[in-house]
Amino acid sequence: MSHQHGPNNEAFYICGISLLLICLFKVPALLRRRRDPLLSSVVLLLLDGGFVFFLSAPDSISAINRATGIVNFAAPVAYSALAVFGGANLLLLVNWRPSPPEQRRRASRICVITYSLVVVLIIVFFWLGDAPVEQVTLFDWYYADTPWIREMILTYLLAQGVATTTTFVLCWRWSKEVDGFLRAGLRILVPGYLLHVCYDVIKLVAIYGRWTGHQWDFLVDQVAPQTAAPSAALVVIGFTLPLAGPRMAQTLQALRQLRDLGPLWRELKTVPTPGAIRTSLPLWSSPSVRLTRRRTSIFDALLTLAPAYDSTVRDKAYRAALDRGDDTPTAEATADATMIVAARVKQQTGSSSSAAPETEPWRPRDLVLLSRALTSPFVSSRSVSPQHYGARVESRQHD
């Protein structure tokens, strides 16, 4: 084991808690999709990664040794967790990358069997060896030339190094074949795994120094740990981004549409609609749910106003908008907004118009364009009576 004392405990525990919290958020989805190998691999990676940080903290190492009464028992425990972490990375990539199902299952079995064997070897080597002096932060270097303990250290470092190097190469190759959130996630994983490879190489260099009589112990307890936290953070972000990215994009799009539909919703929210949903949504409702509710309310209000729609008002507003230089979509949206506001004025005052109402069902082409048109100074009629509305439109047309 090789980590610094003192304040660094907090860094290990913060990283561990962060990974376990992310894992906790994935558990409900896992319970619903228990046979999803990709989701199972994600949960395994996050869970084991969290435990790796907890088990690697100096205070945890000392506590495990005291609790078991076995000197340096924390070493095989932490090394086993690190080996499982390396295998979990490979397992996740195997199930993530598109390939025939049988090929994925075969590769997954090989990965599970191989790294299960690595864990067994770590335990056996520790049992065969002798490590009587407790080492909290310099275990790798101190016992680098001790029979069997040396083999245990090399087994976990090489197994982890092979896993991270393989994952690093595969992520880089795959990132050239895809785009979007998946490409971004893979490109973030590349430096994350590269840092992990550096972690293993630094320790191996320190061990080699021990074999050749050099005092390179600082590499183990000062240099190598500095790569652990950023590596874990990049790996978690890299795997989470492709999985959560599309949902994040959908949420942002819903928020933008909620904002864009604000003017139209405020114009129509007081229209009395039969069967309207009066209950408010819970605070934790997602933007997508709120957007659906808002769109439904808008369409209900537009349907309620249908008897008051006046095609003459819309036609005059459309021509006026074209005359002032609007393009066709903008002019259509302005005309529709003008007709809606006119109908809203009629509905509020209970008045009628001599103009012919709409004879065919009308639906807006684009709610967002319609909502934006309501912010135009051309569509401003709350102070105009329905009897004079058409005259106002005509006067705008001649301006």
Side-chain angles (χ1 to χ4, degrees):
M1 240 89 46
S2 49
H3 306 292
Q4 293 175 311
H5 290 284
N8 275 352
N9 281 295
E10 296 178 2
F12 284 109
Y13 291 140
I14 289 172
C15 290
I17 291 173
S18 301
L19 291 175
L20 291 178
L21 284 176
I22 298 173
C23 177
L24 186 63
F25 287 129
K26 292 288 183 183
V27 169
L30 180 63
L31 293 177
R32 292 192 301 268
R33 296 151 48 194
R34 297 180 182 179
R35 296 188 178 182
D36 186 339
L38 177 58
L39 187 57
S40 299
S41 301
V42 170
V43 172
L44 174 62
L45 180 68
L46 293 171
L47 181 65
D48 185 69
F51 280 120
V52 164
F53 276 100
F54 272 103
L55 295 172
S56 299
D59 285 354
S60 297
I61 294 170
S62 300
I64 293 171
N65 292 338
R66 287 196 306 270
T68 60
I70 302 174
V71 179
N72 292 314
F73 184 75
V77 173
Y79 292 168
S80 296
L82 283 165
V84 171
F85 183 75
N89 283 288
L90 276 179
L91 189 64
L92 177 55
L93 201 62
V94 164
N95 287 286
W96 193 9
R97 186 167 186 174
S99 60
E102 183 54 39
Q103 182 179 340
R104 283 203 305 269
R105 286 193 290 269
R106 183 170 60 253
S108 297
R109 284 195 298 269
I110 293 173
C111 184
V112 170
I113 292 172
T114 300
Y115 281 86
S116 296
L117 180 60
V118 168
V119 172
V120 171
L121 287 174
I122 289 172
I123 296 171
V124 169
F125 287 147
F126 181 77
W127 179 72
L128 291 174
D130 184 25
V133 179
E134 184 180 49
Q135 290 293 325
V136 175
T137 63
L138 287 172
F139 186 92
D140 298 345
W141 179 83
Y142 188 87
Y143 288 106
D145 53 4
T146 301
W148 299 116
I149 303 299
R150 171 187 57 216
E151 283 74 13
M152 179 187 74
I153 296 169
L154 291 176
T155 297
Y156 107 83
L157 282 176
L158 292 175
Q160 183 178 245
V162 168
T164 51
T165 302
T166 302
T167 309
F168 160 75
V169 173
L170 291 177
C171 286
W172 177 251
R173 290 179 179 174
W174 191 16
S175 69
K176 299 177 180 179
E177 305 171 7
V178 294
D179 53 19
F181 285 109
L182 180 54
R183 180 186 180 91
L186 290 169
R187 288 295 172 91
I188 293 173
L189 285 173
V190 168
Y193 283 114
L194 185 59
L195 282 172
H196 211 116
V197 172
C198 292
Y199 175 90
D200 295 328
V201 170
I202 290 169
K203 285 198 168 187
L204 288 171
V205 170
I207 290 171
Y208 176 77
R210 175 73 166 173
W211 291 346
T212 56
H214 296 87
Q215 297 294 317
W216 293 344
D217 55 315
F218 70 94
L219 293 175
V220 173
D221 69 339
Q222 296 180 34
V223 179
Q226 302 305 315
T227 67
S231 171
L234 290 172
V235 168
V236 171
I237 294 171
F239 278 123
T240 303
L241 184 60
L243 299 173
R247 180 174 296 180
M248 290 168 55
Q250 183 182 21
T251 298
L252 291 175
Q253 183 179 15
L255 288 171
R256 283 195 297 268
Q257 288 197 24
L258 280 170
R259 179 200 62 198
D260 292 340
L261 292 177
L264 181 58
W265 178 73
R266 286 188 290 273
E267 176 72 30
L268 300 174
K269 66 179 180 179
T270 58
V271 174
T273 56
I277 302 174
R278 301 301 178 187
T279 57
S280 59
L281 290 170
L283 292 175
W284 56 84
S285 297
S286 68
S288 297
V289 172
R290 293 183 179 277
L291 177 61
T292 300
R293 171 72 72 88
R294 179 162 293 188
R295 291 175 65 90
T296 300
S297 299
I298 288 172
F299 278 120
D300 287 345
L302 291 175
L303 185 61
T304 300
L305 290 176
Y309 291 154
D310 189 335
S311 59
T312 303
V313 170
R314 184 174 60 186
D315 292 342
K316 290 178 179 179
Y318 178 68
R319 290 194 297 271
L322 289 177
D323 289 344
R324 68 174 186 163
D326 289 351
D327 57 30
T328 300
T330 303
E332 289 176 346
T334 300
D336 291 340
T338 304
M339 183 182 68
I340 290 170
V341 173
R344 182 76 180 101
V345 171
K346 292 180 189 178
Q347 184 265 341
Q348 285 178 328
T349 61
S351 60
S352 60
S353 173
S354 59
E358 285 286 292
T359 56
E360 296 182 1
W362 170 83
R363 289 177 67 87
R365 297 174 178 83
D366 189 324
L367 285 182
V368 171
L369 276 179
L370 181 60
S371 184
R372 289 173 181 166
L374 283 168
T375 63
S376 168
F378 184 75
V379 185
S380 177
S381 65
R382 291 178 180 81
S383 61
V384 180
S385 65
Q387 289 81 3
H388 297 90
Y389 194 84
R392 174 161 179 159
V393 172
E394 288 181 345
S395 66
R396 291 280 187 155
Q397 181 180 1
H398 295 295
D399 285 346

